[in-house]
Amino acid sequence: MPGFLYGYTRFRSELETPIVSDQDEDAMTRLRAMIHPFILRRLKKDVLKELPEKQEEIVTIELSGEQKKLYQAHAQRLKMFLEKQNDEECAQNKLQILSELMKLRQLCCGPELILENYKGENAKLKTCIELITQAIEGGHKILLFSQFTSMLDRIGEALSKEKIAYYRIDGSVKKETRMELVDQFQDPKNPIAVFCISLKAGGT
């Protein structure tokens, strides 16, 4: 419906800017009234009654050995740093704090993500491969997402050691190729059961 929301200049001045910048309730109400008739929201259970409810299972992994020591040391260092900061200093150092929190997440995924020569145990990777193997034996296909492409590298290496074939999509894969891989993965005759996907590329 070209033109229904005016040209972009008018749309921006009358609706987008007041809503985004000023939280203008009148503009929000006006836009909602214009688009509401064309938006249909339905629940999955109302449309596909044969599908079961989504099941979620949270698997908690206990870190051990060198990985646990590294994590605890890093967490303690960050805690000591934060205890010395007042509110103003925390605000000024928020990028550094976020970076340190990211390192804690990476240590959980695997210390080798930030420590080049780490050769110790990786509890999360070990459990991940066990879960994948169990799922394949049960006849399932797996979509495996990670924010860290370096973690996908480690998972790929571990899958190859177990002789498990897989597809992978990350930022280096062209959009056209992504769709080809998705089509191949969805083919019921295709034996490849694992698809490793970076969150950013998967969202695209």
Side-chain angles (χ1 to χ4, degrees):
M1 297 169 60
F4 180 70
L5 295 175
Y6 321 122
Y8 181 59
T9 303
R10 183 178 171 189
F11 174 80
R12 186 174 183 182
S13 64
E14 292 186 17
L15 296 168
E16 182 182 347
T17 301
I19 290 171
V20 174
S21 301
D22 307 323
Q23 301 295 306
D24 188 319
E25 290 287 343
D26 291 337
M28 286 185 203
T29 302
R30 183 177 163 203
L31 179 60
R32 193 177 294 118
M34 292 174 75
I35 64 173
H36 182 73
F38 308 104
I39 296 175
L40 177 62
R41 297 191 67 189
R42 297 179 295 175
L43 298 176
K44 182 183 74 175
K45 66 182 181 182
D46 298 328
V47 184
L48 294 171
K49 299 184 186 298
E50 70 275 14
L51 287 181
E53 288 298 311
K54 180 175 74 170
Q55 296 180 2
E56 287 191 25
E57 182 181 351
I58 297 173
V59 178
T60 304
I61 301 164
E62 181 72 31
L63 299 184
S64 61
E66 192 67 20
Q67 185 177 14
K68 185 173 184 178
K69 290 178 185 175
L70 286 167
Y71 181 88
Q72 289 176 333
H74 200 88
Q76 184 63 29
R77 191 181 74 180
L78 178 57
K79 183 181 176 185
M80 290 169 63
F81 171 77
L82 290 173
E83 285 172 346
K84 294 176 183 176
Q85 307 287 304
N86 57 38
D87 290 347
E88 186 178 337
E89 289 170 329
C90 274
Q92 290 174 347
N93 296 322
K94 64 181 178 182
L95 288 179
Q96 181 184 349
I97 293 167
L98 287 172
S99 174
E100 293 302 315
L101 289 171
M102 182 72 76
K103 286 178 183 176
L104 284 175
R105 290 181 60 204
Q106 290 173 310
L107 284 169
C108 284
C109 286
E112 60 268 38
L113 271 59
I114 57 175
L115 300 171
E116 193 173 330
N117 297 318
Y118 179 79
K119 302 296 181 187
E121 186 179 340
N122 182 334
K124 191 169 186 178
L125 180 59
K126 180 182 176 184
T127 304
C128 178
I129 299 303
E130 288 173 357
L131 290 170
I132 289 173
T133 303
Q134 290 171 15
I136 292 173
E137 289 172 353
H140 300 287
K141 286 198 166 190
I142 300 103
L143 297 177
L144 192 154
F145 292 90
S146 177
Q147 180 182 357
F148 307 114
T149 54
S150 51
M151 185 62 185
L152 292 180
D153 292 340
R154 303 297 177 274
I155 292 169
E157 291 167 5
L159 289 172
S160 297
K161 282 182 182 177
E162 297 295 324
K163 305 287 193 295
I164 298 173
Y166 64 95
Y167 290 114
R168 172 171 168 166
I169 285 179
D170 56 37
S172 66
V173 180
K174 293 180 180 177
K175 288 182 182 178
E176 302 77 22
T177 307
R178 294 178 194 181
M179 289 313 302
E180 290 174 13
L181 294 175
V182 169
D183 290 340
Q184 290 173 29
F185 183 72
Q186 290 181 327
D187 184 347
K189 298 176 183 175
N190 188 345
I192 298 178
V194 182
F195 208 145
C196 298
I197 306 169
S198 77
L199 280 176
K200 192 171 182 180
T204 304

